[in-house]
Amino acid sequence: MFRLPKFLAQRSTPVIGLDISTTAVKLLELSKTGDQYRVESYAVEPLPPNSVIEKNISDVEGVGEAIKRAVKRAGANSKYAAAAVAGSAVITKVISMPADLSDDDMESQIELEADQYIPYPLDEVNIDFQVLGPVPDDPERVEVLLAASRTENVDVRVDAIQIAGLTARVVDVEAYAMENAFTTLIAQQMPDGGVDKTIAVVDVGATMTTLNVLHDLKTIYTREQVFGGKQLTEEIQRRYGLSYEEAGMAKRQGGLPDNYIPEVLEPFKEALIQQVSRSLQFFYSSSQHNSVDHIVMVGGTSSIQQIDELIEQKLGVPTVVANPFLNMSIASRIKAQVLFNDAPAMMIACGLALRSFD
C-alpha cells in the first residue's frame, strides 16, 4: 500500500481522523482486531459560517471549538489527531535518489536540493518525503515522493487541534487520505479489487468538487473545481424563503413543496452530472487516458438519491456511491443508519483515522 506524506508524524499511535471541510468537522475513530475494523466514535459538527473558505481556515478559534464539540459529542477516547491539507495547497514532485542512502542522509540531501522544486523560501514551508520504490530499469536509484506545503497551512490545523485539547500527530494531504481510504476499504468492494483499473473518485462537498483518479490503486491526477451542494441549499433558501440552516435541514429531511423535485433538485442533478463529465474531460485532455473503468462518488452531496444510477446512465461508466463502513463493525452507542447516511462524506476522515495502523 502507498505510504503517505507525513508533515508531522509519529507512527503506530491511535489517532482521531479529523476532516475539516468548508461547512463541518467530520470526526472518526477506528480500532482494529486482526483484519476487522470497528467504528469506535464518530461525529459531524457544523462549522461557523465562513470559518473555512475554499479549504483555507480563516477562523482558527471557531474551528478549534467545533472540533472540541465533535470530540465531546462522539465520546472519542484518543487525545491524538490526524488532519489534512487540501491538495491545492501542496506541491508534490517525484524525484530519483541513490538507493543506498539512509533516511537521515536522504532527508539532508532533499533539504539541500529542495529549492530546485519549491517556489517558496524553504523557511516558509513544511517538507516531507516518502520512498516509492526502485526507479524502473535502474535498481541503484529509488523514486522519492517530495511533498511541500506552506508552513501556515499546517500550523493553522495544528493550532485548531490544540484549541480542542488534542495533539496533532499527523498532517496529511487530502488526496492521499482519500487514496488510503479507497485502497484499504473501497477497492475490496470492487471487481478485481481495483487492480490495473483506472478509477475516478469524485468528491462533491459543499463548495468544492475534487476529482482524484487512481490507476492500479495509486493517485495519478487530482483537480479541484468550485461546485458543491451549497448551491442546492442556496436555491432552496431563495425559492422557499427559508434561512440557510432551514434550507439545509429541508434538503436532508424532506418536507419541501411538490415542485421541489422537478424545478430545483432535477436541475441541480443535471448540473452535478455536467460537473463530473467536465472534470473527467480535463483529466482525459491532460493524460494518456481517454476513459475510466469506474466512478466512485464520495462527499456529502453524493447522498442524493440515485445520483450514481443517473451518472452511470448519462456517462456510460459503472458508478457507485462509496460506503467505507460496509464491512466494519460499529460500537453499540453509534446509530448505524445515521453513520451510513454520512458514509460518503466520511472518506477523508476514514483515510486519516487509518493512520492509526501504519
Side-chain angles (χ1 to χ4, degrees):
M1 188 176 72
F2 184 62
R3 294 298 174 188
L4 314 175
K6 51 189 191 310
F7 292 115
L8 293 169
Q10 294 180 17
R11 290 175 178 276
S12 303
T13 303
V15 293
I16 297 165
L18 289 175
D19 176 14
I20 303 167
S21 69
T22 307
T23 56
V25 171
K26 284 156 266 186
L27 176 153
L28 184 70
E29 188 175 25
L30 300 176
S31 63
K32 186 181 183 185
T33 305
D35 292 331
Q36 177 73 41
Y37 294 101
R38 172 180 156 100
V39 181
E40 295 295 347
S41 65
Y42 121 95
V44 177
E45 182 65 29
L47 282 166
N50 301 317
S51 54
V52 178
I53 299 171
E54 292 185 9
K55 302 199 174 182
N56 295 310
I57 295 176
S58 54
D59 176 5
V60 178
E61 191 75 32
V63 172
E65 290 299 326
I67 295 171
K68 187 186 288 186
R69 291 193 298 274
V71 170
K72 185 175 180 182
R73 190 198 302 177
N77 293 313
S78 178
K79 294 298 178 191
Y80 301 106
V85 295
S88 55
V90 180
I91 297 164
T92 58
K93 184 153 184 76
V94 176
I95 60 177
S96 90
M97 305 197 74
D100 57 0
L101 290 179
S102 69
D103 274 3
D104 287 345
D105 289 342
M106 195 170 282
E107 186 166 353
S108 300
Q109 191 163 330
I110 283 171
E111 286 176 1
L112 287 172
E113 297 181 13
D115 57 357
Q116 296 177 48
Y117 312 111
I118 298 163
Y120 305 116
L122 292 186
D123 59 358
E124 294 179 11
V125 294
N126 284 67
I127 300 174
D128 210 341
F129 69 93
Q130 188 67 48
V131 177
L132 301 179
V135 172
D137 307 323
D138 188 354
E140 294 186 2
R141 297 185 72 79
V142 288
E143 291 186 333
V144 179
L145 174 65
L146 176 67
S149 184
R150 297 193 74 144
T151 302
E152 63 204 50
N153 296 323
V154 176
D155 287 352
V156 290
R157 284 159 177 79
V158 173
D159 291 346
I161 287 166
Q162 287 175 340
I163 288 167
L166 303 173
T167 301
R169 273 287 188 257
V170 179
V171 179
D172 208 331
V173 180
E174 286 184 358
Y176 296 127
M178 184 69 79
E179 180 187 291
N180 198 14
F182 179 85
T183 56
T184 308
L185 304 169
I186 305 298
Q188 61 185 289
Q189 303 172 20
M190 307 193 73
D192 305 318
V195 176
D196 289 330
K197 301 296 183 193
T198 304
I199 297 169
V201 181
V202 184
D203 182 357
V204 189
T207 62
M208 300 286 281
T209 295
T210 305
L211 170 65
N212 294 307
V213 182
L214 294 91
H215 180 73
D216 198 20
L217 305 180
K218 290 198 170 60
T219 301
I220 58 168
Y221 178 88
T222 300
R223 181 184 173 89
E224 293 174 1
Q225 289 183 259
V226 178
F227 177 89
K230 187 177 181 185
Q231 289 167 232
L232 177 58
T233 309
E234 287 174 345
E235 180 60 19
I236 294 169
Q237 180 184 5
R238 187 189 68 77
R239 182 72 69 102
Y240 302 112
L242 303 174
S243 71
Y244 185 80
E245 290 72 24
E246 289 167 340
M249 194 76 73
K251 180 173 79 171
R252 288 189 297 276
Q253 298 182 356
L256 286 162
D258 290 345
N259 68 350
Y260 166 64
I261 289 176
E263 294 183 18
V264 180
L265 183 60
E266 291 301 330
F268 178 78
K269 285 181 179 177
E270 288 298 324
L272 173 54
I273 292 164
Q274 284 178 6
Q275 192 67 34
V276 174
S277 176
R278 192 177 300 131
S279 295
L280 289 171
Q281 292 306 321
F282 275 117
F283 164 62
Y284 300 147
S285 66
S286 61
S287 74
Q288 74 254 26
H289 298 269
N290 55 18
S291 65
V292 294
D293 297 299
H294 296 278
I295 296 171
V296 177
M297 297 299 297
V298 307
T301 306
S302 300
S303 299
I304 292 174
Q305 281 195 332
Q306 297 171 325
I307 194 65
D308 50 339
E309 294 169 23
L310 270 173
I311 290 171
E312 182 166 332
Q313 181 186 328
K314 294 278 177 131
L315 303 187
V317 180
T319 303
V320 296
V321 176
N323 180 358
F325 307 119
L326 191 62
N327 297 315
M328 292 192 195
S329 57
I330 299 167
S332 57
R333 64 183 172 183
I334 295 171
K335 293 176 181 170
Q337 191 55 55
V338 177
L339 178 68
F340 283 179
N341 289 346
D342 284 330
M346 298 297 291
M347 282 284 285
I348 288 174
C350 268
L352 294 168
L354 286 167
R355 294 297 298 267
S356 297
F357 315 111
D358 282 356

